[in-house]
Amino acid sequence: MSEAHKITLATAWLDGCSGCHMSFLDLDQRLIELAEKVDVVYSPIVDTKELPPVVDVGILEGAVSTEEDLHKARMFRGRCQFLISLGDCAVSGNVPSMRNTFDLDDVLDRAFVENVQAQPGRPSESLPTLLRTVLPIHHVVQVDLFVQGCPPSADTIWQVLTELMAGNTPDPTQFTRFGA
């Protein structure tokens, strides 16, 4: 990547706790330095609603649990020249994939019928269409870089981004691991 232009960056979270984005915000003062080199064009932390047709770097956190997650992962892959799978949920499915050992109908009944005292029953609206199996991102689209951690620390995210801005491909295994 050239330093002659600002790198465009897009982020999104799929099924997860958003802890990876919280770590991103924990960059604190480094966000100012980052803003000098990077233009965040789409993210839940900025006020943009449309993913541009071409983005230099995309970062996805969370697992693929719904049809909407699947659509967003495919859209990021199609539009981002370099795609990062950020965090243990994105890399392995982690906590969201714990439902994979149960039948989906049993999970829905447990959540909306068995454990509800007032008006038990599955909602007919506003419930995203769940996939039968929760998947890590690389099971649905090609990923260029995996950054483990739950969540990865701000220092890890900084090291990854600064290496990319320098035109290098970072090796996150040198400074993070699963569960870190």
Side-chain angles (χ1 to χ4, degrees), residues 9 11 19-38 40 43 45 59 84 86 147 151-163 165 175:
L9 175 71
T11 75
C20 298
H21 275 80
M22 297 300 108
S23 282
F24 186 87
L25 291 174
D26 282 343
L27 289 172
D28 297 328
Q29 295 88 353
R30 293 176 288 191
L31 287 170
I32 295 168
E33 185 179 339
L34 186 65
E36 294 171 357
K37 299 175 182 171
V38 171
V40 181
S43 174
I45 58 175
I59 298 175
I84 299 172
L86 180 67
V147 182
S153 69
D155 290 340
T156 295
I157 294 169
W158 180 249
Q159 287 179 296
V160 166
L161 292 177
T162 54
E163 284 292 316
M165 288 185 292
F175 36 85

Side-chain angles (χ1 to χ4, degrees), residues 5-175:
H5 77 285
K6 274 191 163 185
I7 296 168
T8 55
L9 175 71
T11 75
W13 72 64
L14 308 179
D15 188 3
C17 70
S18 74
C20 298
H21 275 80
M22 297 300 108
S23 282
F24 186 87
L25 291 174
D26 282 343
L27 289 172
D28 297 328
Q29 295 88 353
R30 293 176 288 191
L31 287 170
I32 295 168
E33 185 179 339
L34 186 65
E36 294 171 357
K37 299 175 182 171
V38 171
D39 187 12
V40 181
V41 294
Y42 180 89
S43 174
I45 58 175
V46 297
D47 190 26
T48 53
K49 308 296 183 228
E50 295 288 329
L51 181 66
V54 179
V55 177
D56 293 321
V57 178
I59 298 175
L60 289 175
E61 80 160 279
V64 179
S65 296
T66 66
E67 290 289 339
E68 182 181 340
D69 294 339
L70 182 59
H71 172 74
K72 192 169 282 186
R74 289 177 174 160
M75 186 171 60
F76 262 66
R77 179 67 278 173
R79 297 182 183 187
C80 298
Q81 296 175 345
F82 192 86
L83 185 61
I84 299 172
S85 180
L86 180 67
D88 291 345
C89 294
V91 173
S92 71
N94 206 24
V95 173
S97 69
M98 292 173 69
R99 77 165 163 89
N100 289 349
T101 58
F102 303 98
D103 180 79
L104 182 57
D105 288 325
D106 292 341
V107 170
L108 292 169
D109 284 342
R110 184 78 173 166
F112 295 108
V113 178
E114 296 169 18
N115 289 328
V116 176
Q117 295 178 349
Q119 301 178 343
R122 291 188 193 181
S124 58
E125 297 177 5
S126 303
L127 186 64
T129 304
L130 298 176
L131 300 176
R132 286 270 162 211
T133 305
V134 177
L135 300 167
I137 292 170
H138 68 282
H139 281 216
V140 298
V141 296
Q142 181 181 348
V143 170
D144 301 306
L145 185 69
F146 298 89
V147 182
Q148 295 181 330
C150 185
S153 69
D155 290 340
T156 295
I157 294 169
W158 180 249
Q159 287 179 296
V160 166
L161 292 177
T162 54
E163 284 292 316
L164 286 173
M165 288 185 292
N168 303 319
T169 301
D171 179 6
T173 62
Q174 297 301 307
F175 36 85

